[in-house]
Amino acid sequence: MKCRVCREPAVIDLRRHNANFCIEHFLRLCRDQVAKAIAEHDMFAPEDRILIAVSGGKDSLALWDILLDMGYQVDGLYIGLGIGEYSEQSVTYVEKFVESRDVNLRIIDLPTEYGYDIPSGSRAAKRTPCSACGLSKRHLFDQAATEGGYDVVVTGHNLDDEAAVLLGNTLRWQSDYLGRQKPVLPAGHGFPRKVKPLVRLGEREMAAYCVLTGIDYIVDECPKAVGNKHLGYKEVLNLLEAQSPGSKHDFYAGFLARAVDRFASAEDETIDDRPALRPCTACGAPCSSEVCAFCRLVERATQDVPVKLGPTAKKEPTSL
Ligand code: Q46
Ligand code: ZN
Ligand code: ZN
C-alpha cells in the first residue's frame, strides 16, 4: 500500500478518494479539506476571533488542532454536563490538550454554575436528556460568544454527523430544518455566526488524525446517545458507504449544491409570520417570549422531582 502523493508506505486507505496516504500527506489532506470548507462557505477570515466548542471527543480536538496549525486565533469552550463518569473523563482530555498547546479555555459547569445536571435536570424539566443538553449548549455557546466578543462559534460536526442529520430530516421531510442545514448559520437577531468546518471529513479520518498526531480523546460515546435515532442513521449510512464508497459525501454535498437553497427560500417566505425577538427578562438573550427557553429549563430543572408515594408507587427491583 503506497501513498498516492509520494509513493512512500501508506498508513491509511480512503476508499472515498480511492487512494492511500502516508502520515504527512494524510494530515495535509485533512488540513486541505478544512481549508476548502472554510473558503467554499466563506466561514471566517484570518483576523476573526474564533470560539470552538469542545467536548473532549476526537472531532472538536482535531479541529482545534487543525485551525491552530493554520494560524487562526481559537479559544475553547467546554460545558460540563454532569453526565457522571463521561463528563468527569471528557474534561480531562480537553485540559490535557490545552496544556500541550498553551491555548485559552473557558469551562462552564452546569451543576456548579446553574444548579442542575443533564440526567436529573432533564427528568425534572420533562425533556429527553439530549433535548435539555442541546438547548443548554446552544444557549451557552451563544452567550459565551457574545460576551467574549467572538466573531464566530465553531463546532466539530463532521460529514457523518451532517449526513445522519440530513437523513433524519429527509425521512420526515422537515423542510424548516432542511432549509437551515447549511454548514454556516449567519449571525443575526443577536446570535453569533456558527460554522462547521469538518463537513468534508468523516469520523474515521478524524480518529486517524488524532492517533497520528498524538491527541488523546474520549473514545466512549456519551451514555445518553446509546440507542438514539442519530446513531441508527449513522449505521444505515455506514452500510451504504461500505457498499458504495463516497455515498455519504455525495448525499450531503449534493444536498448543499442542489437542494438546500430551495428549502431555505421556502423558509424565508414564512419569516414575516414569526414573532419578533426581544431580550429575555431573566438573562437578556434574544427570544420570542418573555423568558427564554433556557431560563425556563433552568427553573424547571432546579426544582425537585416529585417522588410518587402511596399504593401506586412501584418498588424498584433490587439489582444484584
Ligand atoms: S452530549 Fe448531550 Fe450529546 Fe449526550 S446528552 Fe445527548 S446531546 S448524546 S452531542
Ligand atoms: Zn505521502
Ligand atoms: Zn433567558
Side-chain angles (χ1 to χ4, degrees):
M1 195 162 97
K2 290 200 168 125
C3 171
R4 176 165 85 181
V5 185
C6 67
R7 311 308 298 162
E8 291 294 314
V11 291
I12 187 165
D13 66 309
L14 298 184
R15 290 182 65 203
R16 169 158 78 86
H17 296 274
N18 198 18
N20 309 316
F21 295 91
C22 69
I23 297 180
E24 182 194 338
H25 290 113
F26 171 70
L27 298 181
R28 189 183 295 177
L29 175 131
C30 292
R31 292 184 196 113
D32 288 350
Q33 293 294 325
V34 170
K36 221 169 177 172
I38 295 169
E40 201 172 13
H41 300 284
D42 202 9
M43 291 184 173
F44 40 77
E47 65 276 12
D48 282 346
R49 285 189 64 227
I50 299 169
L51 183 65
I52 186 167
V54 283
S55 62
K58 60 189 182 318
D59 304 304
S60 50
L61 292 181
L63 178 57
W64 199 356
D65 191 64
I66 292 172
L67 294 176
L68 291 170
D69 268 1
M70 292 167 83
Y72 290 103
Q73 321 162 53
V74 198
D75 295 340
L77 171 64
Y78 172 86
I79 298 179
L81 303 167
I83 305 180
E85 220 174 285
Y86 170 74
S87 291
E88 281 160 26
Q89 286 183 6
S90 59
V91 70
T92 64
Y93 291 99
V94 177
E95 285 170 334
K96 195 170 164 196
F97 179 89
V98 167
E99 275 166 34
S100 69
R101 301 296 191 283
D102 194 21
V103 282
N104 296 321
L105 171 72
R106 177 168 175 204
I107 296 181
I108 301 176
D109 190 56
L110 285 181
T112 49
E113 295 180 47
Y114 290 90
Y116 70 98
D117 57 42
I118 292 300
S120 58
S122 62
R123 274 196 303 277
K126 296 193 171 59
R127 279 179 175 263
T128 64
C130 290
S131 152
C133 178
L135 169 58
S136 306
K137 287 195 288 195
R138 279 192 301 278
H139 178 90
L140 295 169
F141 293 160
D142 289 347
Q143 193 181 53
T146 311
E147 284 174 4
Y150 291 94
D151 298 291
V152 59
V153 173
V154 163
T155 57
H157 295 96
N158 60 36
L159 175 61
D160 294 61
D161 295 319
E162 292 306 293
V165 171
L166 177 59
L167 179 59
N169 288 340
T170 308
L171 287 174
R172 288 180 206 81
W173 290 114
Q174 284 178 297
S175 52
D176 48 346
Y177 291 157
L178 287 166
R180 276 174 291 174
Q181 214 200 318
K182 287 187 179 182
V184 173
L185 210 58
H189 307 288
F191 295 109
R193 186 170 8 134
K194 290 187 198 126
V195 303
K196 300 171 182 171
L198 284 188
V199 288
R200 300 181 64 92
L201 290 161
E203 267 175 19
R204 184 168 165 263
E205 284 106 284
M206 296 337 292
Y209 182 95
C210 287
V211 171
L212 295 172
T213 53
I215 297 174
D216 252 354
Y217 62 91
I218 184 155
V219 175
D220 293 338
E221 287 278 354
C222 168
K224 301 295 171 193
V226 177
N228 77 14
K229 283 185 190 157
H230 188 69
L231 289 188
Y233 298 144
K234 280 188 172 177
E235 277 172 28
V236 170
L237 288 165
N238 282 341
L239 286 176
L240 289 174
E241 184 76 21
Q243 285 179 9
S244 175
S247 298
K248 280 180 215 172
H249 173 266
D250 293 348
F251 179 47
Y252 180 64
F255 165 74
L256 290 184
R258 295 190 288 280
V260 70
D261 285 337
R262 300 179 191 212
F263 290 104
S265 50
E267 258 284 280
D268 287 346
E269 286 167 19
T270 64
I271 274 176
D272 290 344
D273 303 336
R274 291 191 201 148
L277 298 183
R278 54 186 167 161
C280 163
T281 51
C283 74
C287 67
S288 53
S289 50
E290 203 177 320
V291 178
C292 77
F294 176 72
C295 289
R296 278 183 275 141
L297 168 70
V298 175
E299 199 190 337
R300 297 180 73 185
T302 48
Q303 284 166 0
D304 289 338
V305 183
V307 180
K308 279 188 188 163
L309 296 172
T312 53
K314 279 191 189 158
K315 200 174 171 227
E316 288 292 319
T318 312
S319 54
L320 296 173

